[in-house]
Amino acid sequence: MSKVIKPQTRDIGFPVRRILPSAQQWMVGPFIFLDHMGPALFPQGTTEGDVRPHPHIGLATVTYLFSGAFMHRDSMGVVQRIDPGAVNVMVAGSGVVHSERIPDDIRDRQQAVEGIQMWMALPVETEEAEPAFMHYPAAELPVDRFEGGELHLLIGALGARHSPVDTGTETLFAVLTLAPGASWRMPAGVGDRALYLASGSLAVDSEPLPQHHLMVVDATRDLLLTSSEGARVVIVGGQPYPETRHIVWNFVSTRPERIEQAKADWKAQRFAAVPGETEFIPLPA
């Protein structure tokens, strides 16, 4: 039997399913955090659901939307709209602050916002690197279409295909869509690998995966994925790190004392600010 992880669901102004980290599985490859956001509708003429400025260290955020849009702003001065199918990678490194807000046109049209947000722990040699930001529109990312489905390769390599997204470490992130009755054979790879069923039904080598659960699978052999009702599947993986990663609030590091320093810096507002933003999320008690 494979390891299957049930999400923790909470409401932060919109529904979020927290899959990683969990007591069963701390990380999958370099991924230490995985959230499935929404779908959620946001009232017109309000800021409900906006994520105010908050800090990160030691990680790279990865944002991918199924529907709706976000407006990203950060302390590097980057302003970028995130639309469905695009990939945003923000390298926090030594420290960055960003906000994510719901655009007015999405609120006005009452369009649902849904997507995946993940954090990749950075390699120990770059966890204090200068912050950086990369945006890849959907048109720049490879798509394999086959009878009954399609595979969007967002980060890393799968089979003979490679994504142009460069994260500086061996990583895999893809989204598979299957029509009712369709199947797809996932090729073997290296490192860790896991499947998250965002919607629909899925069996992995005949083993059922419940909706909104994560299955950690054997990456060393091919696996047959089949769906009776249709499915949207998030595939993540990569080489695990030899060092332990610590996570507190929005901070990740190999050194607990570095996290304590980041907490003190945020409390004292020593992080660089997001231009044009005056709000912020206080350090939790």
Side-chain angles (χ1 to χ4, degrees):
M1 292 287 290
S2 302
K3 184 187 293 184
V4 176
I5 298 167
K6 180 181 179 180
Q8 300 296 316
T9 303
R10 61 196 184 107
D11 193 321
I12 59 170
F14 52 91
V16 171
R17 298 175 187 89
R18 175 70 43 81
I19 299 105
L20 292 176
S22 79
Q24 296 169 269
Q25 187 81 22
W26 192 244
M27 298 175 69
V28 174
F31 292 104
I32 195 168
F33 177 98
L34 196 164
D35 268 4
H36 178 189
M37 313 168 294
L41 300 173
F42 298 93
Q44 300 175 3
T46 73
T47 59
E48 184 177 318
D50 283 358
V51 180
R52 295 167 292 160
H54 57 282
H56 293 288
I57 65 163
L59 58 88
T61 64
V62 179
T63 304
Y64 181 85
L65 296 179
F66 301 137
S67 62
F70 274 163
M71 187 62 73
H72 166 99
R73 294 181 176 86
D74 64 40
S75 53
M76 294 175 283
V78 174
V79 178
Q80 176 65 57
R81 182 181 171 111
I82 309 172
D83 289 306
V87 170
N88 258 38
V89 178
M90 184 187 71
V91 179
S94 60
V96 74
V97 179
H98 74 132
S99 66
E100 294 163 308
R101 299 187 180 273
I102 309 300
D104 289 342
D105 63 303
I106 299 299
R107 294 180 184 273
D108 292 343
R109 293 201 303 266
Q110 284 295 280
Q111 186 174 353
V113 178
E114 182 181 9
I116 298 291
Q117 284 203 313
M118 300 184 292
W119 299 351
M120 291 172 47
L122 296 175
V124 65
E125 62 271 16
T126 61
E127 65 179 352
E128 292 293 333
E130 286 295 313
F133 179 87
M134 295 166 282
H135 176 76
Y136 299 83
E140 295 181 7
L141 302 170
V143 182
D144 277 342
R145 294 180 173 87
F146 53 91
E147 185 176 354
E150 58 185 32
L151 178 80
H152 292 249
L153 181 56
L154 306 169
I155 301 176
L158 200 56
R161 298 283 261 170
H162 294 262
S163 166
V165 179
D166 181 14
T167 61
T169 186
E170 190 166 345
T171 311
L172 175 63
F173 174 34
V175 174
L176 172 71
T177 304
L178 293 175
S183 64
W184 178 74
R185 186 168 293 278
M186 183 168 67
V190 296
D192 296 340
R193 188 169 290 181
L195 308 172
Y196 172 69
L197 182 57
S199 62
S201 69
L202 189 73
V204 182
D205 278 357
S206 300
E207 182 180 347
L209 174 59
Q211 187 172 249
H212 301 146
H213 286 56
L214 181 84
M215 179 184 286
V216 181
V217 298
D218 181 0
T220 64
R221 61 186 181 88
D222 290 2
L223 298 171
L224 182 64
L225 280 54
T226 58
S227 178
S228 58
E229 303 170 10
R232 175 182 278 155
V233 185
V234 177
I235 305 169
V236 296
Q239 286 286 10
Y241 295 131
E243 313 89 1
T244 299
R245 290 307 190 278
H246 305 276
I247 179 171
V248 177
W249 193 39
N250 298 320
F251 306 130
V252 171
S253 181
T254 54
R255 297 176 292 129
E257 65 274 15
R258 178 65 180 93
I259 292 177
E260 292 303 312
Q261 181 62 58
K263 289 164 62 178
D265 288 344
W266 182 244
K267 189 173 182 179
Q269 289 295 287
R270 288 191 287 262
F271 278 79
V274 178
E277 297 265 20
T278 57
E279 299 179 293
F280 67 93
I281 299 175
L283 183 74

